[in-house]
Amino acid sequence: MPSPAIAALDAAGLPYRVIRHGPVRSLAEAARARGVAVPDVVKTIVVRRGADDHLFVLTPGDRVISWPKLRALLGVARMSMPDAEAARAATGYERGTITPFGSTTAWPVVADERLRGREITLGAGEHGVAVAVDADAAISALAATVADVTDPEPAN
């Protein structure tokens, strides 16, 4: 039986490729294991707008959410990132496996504009498994809002 993420991709008719790579400890390690560049490892971030009101933000692996840009886009003053248990309750997925595909609730999706025109990899709902998919097809299937909502990853 496929995971909810794979079942949702199938139901959407999206072509995808499953990548099984086992445990990884960092985004850079995930990129190496998947055979892709760091920006093509897309992070699915769960953002809480209010009580039982969440959304997914898809960001390239080398970028982080720009809270001012996201707040301006959504017209809200406050947002937060739920803890691991709240994120699981909102999506049905553990942190590190979260994807908008097959989430227990179809929360709205915001995709950073830099994802367009490339093949990306997303979590597939279980640890050590990802899917490679055409970003534009995924954005369309998710009815995602596309906007500039990220900043470069800060230097360490």
Side-chain angles (χ1 to χ4, degrees):
M1 184 162 129
S3 73
I6 299 298
L9 287 161
D10 288 340
L14 276 178
Y16 62 89
R17 181 171 40 90
V18 174
I19 305 166
R20 295 184 185 281
H21 55 69
V24 293
R25 291 182 297 276
S26 68
L27 197 124
E29 198 174 305
R32 284 191 299 277
R34 296 175 186 182
V36 300
V38 168
D40 297 326
V41 175
V42 172
K43 298 179 284 190
T44 301
I45 311 294
V46 180
V47 174
R48 182 181 181 273
R49 285 189 284 200
D52 202 33
D53 182 14
H54 298 80
L55 63 128
F56 294 109
V57 181
L58 304 179
T59 69
D62 61 341
R63 299 184 67 85
V64 296
I65 291 175
S66 166
W67 295 102
K69 291 176 186 177
L70 188 60
R71 284 193 302 272
L73 174 71
L74 299 173
V76 297
R78 293 193 51 170
M79 289 181 289
S80 62
M81 289 177 47
D83 66 22
E85 193 48 46
R88 184 182 180 126
T91 67
Y93 294 122
E94 285 182 40
R95 197 170 270 166
T97 72
I98 295 173
T99 174
F101 289 102
S103 173
T104 52
T105 301
W107 301 112
V109 178
V110 175
D112 187 72
E113 66 187 14
R114 290 159 192 84
L115 300 180
R116 286 188 181 249
R118 47 196 323 149
E119 182 182 71
I120 58 171
T121 63
L122 292 165
E126 55 187 286
H127 290 287
V129 182
V131 291
V133 65
D134 177 79
D136 295 332
I139 287 167
S140 177
L142 294 165
T145 299
V146 178
D148 174 11
V149 293
T150 65
D151 290 324
E153 182 86 47
N156 292 338

